Each structure stands twice: as structure tokens, then as C-alpha cells.
Amino acid sequence: MTLAIVLAGGSTAGLPTRTGETLADRLAAQCGRAGADEVRFAADLGELAALVELATGPVLVTGADLVAHTAVLRHLLTSPVGPTVALVLGDPPTADRTAVREERGQVVETGPAGTLPDATGVFGGALRVAAQDLPALAAAARAAAVTPAGETAVDRLFAGLAARGTLAFAHRVRLLVAHRVADAAELAAAEAAVAAVDEKRAELRLSVKERDDFFTTFFVSTWSTLVVRASARLRLTPTIVTAISVAFAVAAAVLFAVGDRAALVGGAILLYLGFVLDCVDGQLARYTRNFSAWGGWLDTMADRAKEYVVYAGLGIGATQAGHRYGWALAIAAMTLQTVRHMTDTWYGVLHDEAARRPRPAATAGGIGDRLNTASTRVQADTGSLSYWLKRTVVFPIGERWALIALTVALFNPLVSLIAVLVWGVLAFVYTGALRTLRARWMRVGVLATVDATLHRDDGPLVRWLPASRAPGPLGYALLAALGPAALLAAALVVGRSDGGADELRWLLPVALLVLLVGGLGARARHDGPLDWLVPAALRAAEFLFAITVGVLGDVPPWLIFGYLFVLTVHHYDLTARLEKRQAAPPLHAATFGWDGRSVLLTLAAIVGFGGIGMATLGTYLLVVFVASVVLAWVVLPARAARASAVPVRMGDGVPG
């Protein structure tokens, strides 16, 4: 249940609007239309604190000086960017407004106008506060209630909330209109500005991301809003659109596997249309404000699953055409992309964490500082050649799917896989080098702020190993990958023609011991500037070891791909939960960890049942994953809903 509170104690609350009602009354009515279940007035911050202390769900707070489209409040109320969200405007700062500095969408600093030389906007007089932050909101309201006047009540409230360490994300007004007013003249001007904008048309345009990659911007978003509008009229949900997108990708993969020219061209077209729908599901969610943790998780999982199914189709097509290494290239592409995604996720977490911390003075002027400044400058130069080059060189998903579609239609699946690998490796080297330099400058130990054991995916064996600090968690994780990498290289060089690979199979226990060395740093603090790379290094180590077991155990390549596919689903589940701020999967302990899975594969390979062992373990992990999804998204939420079900009582004030 969402409560909206209008702070109606200011001088602007009683200003008459063009419809005859007071500004405070209109804001209250807008809060109800925006989706608030209950709307109350508060004469001062003390009364607001009393209302907040009784609330059990999110609270929308607005001052009585805001003139805006109802959609602005609805978007603020339903924003998925974070639990607590503040409206931020680009209006010129005034003496009674709170200036803010935001970075990566987070409000990282607040202060009176004129005290923040690098301010990026001003507080818009409205914020949505998550249930977990309500105690801090109530405390800030009580403290600000006795603060000498100088700012409006809502500004003092927001500044006090920020001072208590509450993380607030910035919600910018784009295409719509929102202004804070101080008198009747400003009210009239703001109302005229609101009336001049077609709210419905603006909402449709707002469904498209403000900044996207080159291919998506010019070859998808230019017409995808037509599909969004049609989907909304048909009452399709974002989840249904996601499912259709998956079906298109699977159909494209099947056509790629068939391999004749007509099938390849048809598959390329389906792949493009599937990517359009992949963009539409998010645009439809923004247009209809139909957000959920389940939808965000499903979208992340579906994107990765679709891509790897396409790799499988390309691998089959290349193999059917007589190319020996079709499956090997598909396995390499999936492994590379998974490790890249792990670095992307953790670098994003690192950057978010760095934005919230003061920068060490010693880092100023260094190469990392210069790289960060250059990156910020390029990102701000929207539409320039350097901006698009920077967006494209990192090989985002739109460019990957475009490259696959073009190369497979013009050439064949083998060329497509090689192209993906070559560009992917170059992008990995480029981003890895720059991010390493910038991370050393930021000096943020991001794994020190999360459950390292969970996101390392450690199993029972690692938990029994002694702790060791040198050479650090990353050093151990990189060392863990050397054993399987060296053995895999030897196996590929020796081959199976002369039986050399059979002899190398007995070196698997040695490679396993080297792999398990990666667990020695598990209990050490992950606070090094590069420890955000640990999860990716461990994923690379486990994937290389599984491939080595497959090669030495004469496991069919399609089975190796299938096993790794199941591992990627498991690992993307962990990263998606991290990004969506969800708890650990309910059955995570039953997946054995990277160490336990590697031991089981080794035992199966040594006794000559590598293929059976890999198939059995992969099937088991898939069953555990499905059961965990059902528990996490169906069973446990249903139980929580039944346990917390209470009669809803509407309070006094304007009903929502």
C-alpha cells in the first residue's frame, strides 16, 4: 500500500490554479491518479513524521509548490531505478532550493544552492521513499522540524534524509514538464508550460531509452514505438513480449542450424525482429509502468539464454557444413561472452559504489583521473563521432545481434562465429585495460560490500580451506585458471589421434588441485582495487576446467556446450539478483559451488564416464535451477503475501 503525503504548510499551498482548486488540492488529486492508495495532508514535518511512522509501504512525499504533469508523479512512484527516488530538475537554483550532484543516476551530494559548484540539478520537491528507508525519513522529519527556516520544509526533509546516508536515485523529467513555483506569476507560467506538452505522446516517446547503442538507436528505436503502442492496445504484458522474443530467437537458431541460404537469410530476419521485440518489452514496461522484480530478472535471463541458443544454432550449422570446429567456436563464444558479462556487472557495481564514496586526494591528476574525465566528456557529447565510437567499440548486444544477422545472411555460420569471437576479444581487451586503470584510480573494494561467498559461488570444499591473504583473492582466482588452461592447451595440441589425450586424462587431478587453489583467498577481504574481477576469473576457471574434462573425456561437443549453458544460467541468476537487489536463490547450496562441481566432473572423467557424468550433473543443476525459480518467484512470495495479509483501511484525506 502506497501512501502519498502533501506538505501543505507553505505559502504556495493555497494558490488558486487555473481550474479553481488550490495547488495543494490539485497535487493531492494528482497523487491519487498517479497510483497512490491513500493521500494525506501534513501541515508540518512533525505531522509528516507521525504519518510516516504508521506507514507500512512506500511513501510519496511532495511539497505544495510543484506544478507538473500527473505522469511525472506516476513515473516517480513507479520508478524501477532504486528503492528511494528523488525528483531532480534542471531549473536554476534559488536560495530556498536544495542543489544536488548526481553520478550514475545516484544523488551523491546535496547542499544549499550556491554551495555545490559541480551541482547537476536541483531537488524537485518530491520523492518516493522505500519502506526500508521510512525510519530514516521519520527521523529526518523530526530533526528538520526544529531547524530554523531558510529552506522549504520538503527541502529540509530531503537534505536531512541524505545526511543520514540514505541512498536516493535521481529521477529526471524528460519531455514532460515539472517546475516549482513561489508565487502566482510563476504558477501561471508553469501551468502554461504543462498545457503546451501532449502528455500521452510524450509518455510514448519516453518509453525509449534516452541513450542507447548505435544500432538500437538508428535501426530499432526509430520505429519500435509503433510496436509498443500496438502491444499496449492488445493488452500484451512485457513478459509476453519477452516470450515472443525468445520464440523468434529460437526459430532463428533452428534456421541457422539448417544451413541453406534461404534458411540463413530467414534466420537473420527473425533474429533482427527478435531483437526489436527484446527492446520493445522494456519500452512497453516503461510506457505502461508495468515493472516488477520478476520481469526485470526474466528479461536479463532471457537475453542471455537467447544469445547462447543462437550460438548453438550457429555451431550446428557450421558443423553440418563440414567445419570441424563449429561447436568449439560456439563454446568459445559463449565462454568469452559470459566472462565479459561478469566483468560488466561487477564493474558497474564498483562504479556505483565509487560514486557514493569520497575520492582519495592522492588519486587526483593520475591516469585514472584523466581517463575518467575523458570518458565523462565523451559521454556528455551526445551524438558526436567519438560518442558513437565509444558506444560501439565495446560490442553491446545490439551490435552483436546485427553482426550475427549480417554475417550469417551474407556468408555462413562459421564466419559469423569467427566475427563474434574476433570483435568480442578486441572489445574485452579494450574495456579490460581501461577499466583496470580506472578501477585502480577509484580504489574501491566492491566485494567488501556484498556477500563474497555467494557471488564467488563457493562450495563446501572452499569453505574448509584455510584463509590466505597473499597474493590476494584475485591472484588466487587467476592462478586457479592456469591449471585447466595449460592442460586444455596440451590436450588440443596432442589431440586424440595418437592416444596422447588419454594419458593426459590422468593429469586432471593435478589441474583440479591448481583450480582449487582459487579457494585459498575466499575468506580474505576482497577490498583490493581489482577484486571486482574475482567472480569473472572464477567463471573462466570453472568453464576452462569443464571444457578440459570434456576434451579429455571424449565428451561430444554439443554436450559440453549444453553443460556450460546450464552453468551460465546459474551464474546469470546470481548476477541478475545482484543487479535487482534480490536475495540468494533458495536452493543455492544444492548447486555444490564451482569447486564441488569440478570435483564431481573429475571423478566421472577418471573412471571413464566423463560424458555420463557431465550429462547427469548438468541435468541435476537444471532441475535445481527450475525448482529454485519456482520457489523464489511463486511459492515464497505467495507465502509472504498470505502471512502479511491485513485489512486495508483508508485514512482521511483525498482518496487515491
Side-chain angles (χ1 to χ4, degrees):
M1 179 176 176
T2 302
L3 170 66
I5 303 174
V6 178
L7 270 168
S11 60
T12 57
L15 288 176
T17 64
R18 61 170 56 187
T19 57
E21 60 190 338
T22 66
L23 182 52
D25 285 335
R26 187 174 70 182
L27 274 168
Q30 285 183 298
C31 288
R33 293 196 299 273
D37 299 297
E38 183 180 2
V39 183
R40 303 288 293 270
F41 290 97
D44 53 39
L45 290 177
E47 189 173 329
L48 180 140
L51 291 173
V52 168
E53 287 169 344
L54 297 176
T56 58
V59 172
L60 174 67
V61 178
T62 178
D65 59 354
L66 179 63
V67 178
H69 291 281
T70 300
V72 171
L73 294 174
R74 180 166 60 251
H75 293 180
L76 181 65
L77 194 62
T78 57
S79 175
V81 299
T84 294
V85 186
L87 183 64
V88 175
L89 306 177
D91 295 352
T94 58
D96 58 344
R97 301 288 186 258
T98 297
V100 301
R101 181 173 68 85
E102 58 182 291
E103 190 171 336
R104 292 179 61 84
Q106 305 169 106
V107 176
V108 295
E109 192 175 2
T110 65
T115 63
L116 289 182
D118 53 352
T120 56
V122 294
F123 175 50
L127 68 157
R128 184 201 70 200
V129 183
Q132 63 264 33
D133 293 332
L134 292 184
L137 179 65
R142 294 200 181 280
V146 297
T147 302
E151 295 178 297
T152 63
V154 71
D155 284 274
R156 297 203 308 270
L157 176 66
F158 178 61
L161 185 65
R164 281 165 170 75
T166 301
L167 174 62
F169 290 81
H171 177 78
R172 283 279 184 173
V173 176
R174 184 169 63 94
L175 302 181
L176 295 170
V177 175
H179 294 294
R180 298 178 69 181
V181 300
D183 52 38
E186 291 185 359
L187 172 59
E191 287 184 316
V194 169
V197 175
D198 186 333
E199 186 172 340
K200 291 297 182 183
R201 179 174 295 182
E203 284 201 87
L204 184 61
R205 291 175 59 195
L206 283 170
S207 67
V208 178
K209 289 181 179 178
E210 183 177 10
R211 294 185 178 184
D212 217 325
D213 304 315
F214 181 84
F215 181 78
T216 306
T217 298
F218 293 103
F219 294 93
V220 176
S221 297
T222 51
W223 65 279
S224 60
T225 52
L226 301 175
V227 185
V228 172
R229 181 180 292 173
S231 300
R233 288 175 178 173
L234 293 172
R235 299 185 182 278
L236 298 180
T237 65
T239 298
I240 292 176
V241 176
T242 299
I244 298 174
S245 173
V246 171
F248 273 52
V250 171
V254 171
L255 292 176
F256 293 158
V258 171
D260 62 58
R261 181 54 52 193
L264 294 179
V265 173
I269 294 172
L270 286 178
L271 190 65
Y272 169 66
L273 294 177
F275 179 67
V276 172
L277 292 176
D278 183 41
C279 298
V280 166
D281 60 4
Q283 293 172 0
L284 181 62
R286 288 186 286 273
Y287 181 58
T288 61
R289 311 310 295 174
N290 186 2
F291 300 114
S292 68
W294 157 254
W297 177 89
L298 180 65
D299 183 57
T300 299
M301 299 298 294
D303 286 350
R304 303 288 74 79
K306 287 184 298 186
E307 184 171 358
Y308 297 157
V309 167
V310 168
Y311 289 172
L314 294 172
I316 295 173
T319 303
Q320 296 281 51
H323 301 291
R324 178 180 177 184
Y325 298 108
W327 273 114
L329 291 173
I331 291 170
M334 180 169 62
T335 300
L336 171 66
Q337 199 56 49
T338 300
V339 174
R340 278 198 65 200
H341 279 141
M342 296 300 147
T343 60
D344 291 345
T345 296
W346 283 98
Y347 184 74
V349 175
L350 170 80
H351 223 160
D352 289 343
E353 186 71 20
R356 297 191 289 267
R357 299 187 186 184
R359 295 169 184 165
T363 63
I367 185 171
D369 193 5
R370 293 196 295 271
L371 284 172
N372 192 63
T373 301
S375 177
T376 301
R377 184 173 60 251
V378 170
Q379 290 288 9
D381 192 12
T382 307
S384 67
L385 178 61
S386 58
Y387 172 84
W388 289 121
L389 285 175
K390 180 178 175 60
R391 302 282 302 195
T392 304
V393 72
V394 297
F395 204 25
I397 186 170
E399 275 64 16
R400 291 199 302 275
W401 285 52
L403 180 66
I404 292 172
L406 285 174
T407 53
V408 79
L410 297 175
F411 302 103
N412 55 59
L414 182 69
V415 172
S416 186
L417 284 171
I418 293 174
V420 167
L421 276 169
V422 170
W423 194 344
V425 169
L426 293 176
F428 195 19
V429 172
Y430 167 77
T431 57
L434 293 184
R435 287 173 176 178
T436 296
L437 292 173
R438 293 179 69 184
R440 290 184 64 84
W441 166 73
M442 287 185 281
R443 297 185 182 179
V444 177
V446 67
L447 291 189
T449 64
V450 298
D451 186 347
T453 299
L454 171 64
H455 293 290
R456 285 171 50 100
D457 196 23
D458 293 333
L461 292 178
V462 167
R463 296 190 185 99
W464 293 339
L465 292 175
S468 177
R469 292 192 59 84
L474 179 59
Y476 281 118
L478 294 175
L479 184 62
L482 290 180
L487 188 54
L488 176 60
L492 294 176
V493 170
V494 171
R496 292 192 294 269
S497 58
D498 57 358
D502 292 333
E503 296 178 4
L504 289 176
R505 187 174 65 187
W506 297 102
L507 293 177
L508 275 175
V510 177
L512 176 65
L513 288 176
V514 178
L515 177 72
L516 294 178
V517 166
L520 290 176
R523 287 189 285 170
R525 285 183 57 83
H526 291 59
D527 53 2
L530 300 182
D531 283 346
W532 56 277
L533 290 167
V534 168
L538 290 176
R539 298 298 79 78
E542 183 181 6
F543 276 46
L544 287 172
F545 189 80
I547 296 170
T548 303
V549 170
V551 171
L552 296 181
D554 202 19
V555 178
W558 61 265
L559 181 54
I560 300 175
F561 185 95
Y563 176 75
L564 294 180
F565 180 85
V566 174
L567 283 187
T568 64
V569 168
H570 166 64
H571 289 133
Y572 279 121
D573 185 21
L574 293 179
T575 56
R577 288 173 178 276
L578 172 69
E579 293 173 338
K580 307 304 179 185
R581 303 175 185 86
Q582 299 295 312
L587 301 179
H588 181 257
T591 60
F592 306 133
W594 59 269
D595 47 330
R597 294 188 293 268
S598 300
V599 169
L600 291 174
L601 287 182
T602 302
L603 294 176
I606 289 176
V607 299
F609 294 102
I612 295 175
M614 189 169 287
T616 302
L617 182 56
T619 302
Y620 166 79
L621 291 173
L622 184 59
V623 170
V624 169
F625 170 76
V626 172
S628 187
V629 169
V630 173
L631 280 173
W633 299 106
V634 180
V635 177
L636 296 180
R639 289 179 181 174
R642 288 195 299 269
S644 61
V646 294
V648 177
R649 179 181 63 84
M650 295 295 290
D652 298 330
V654 180

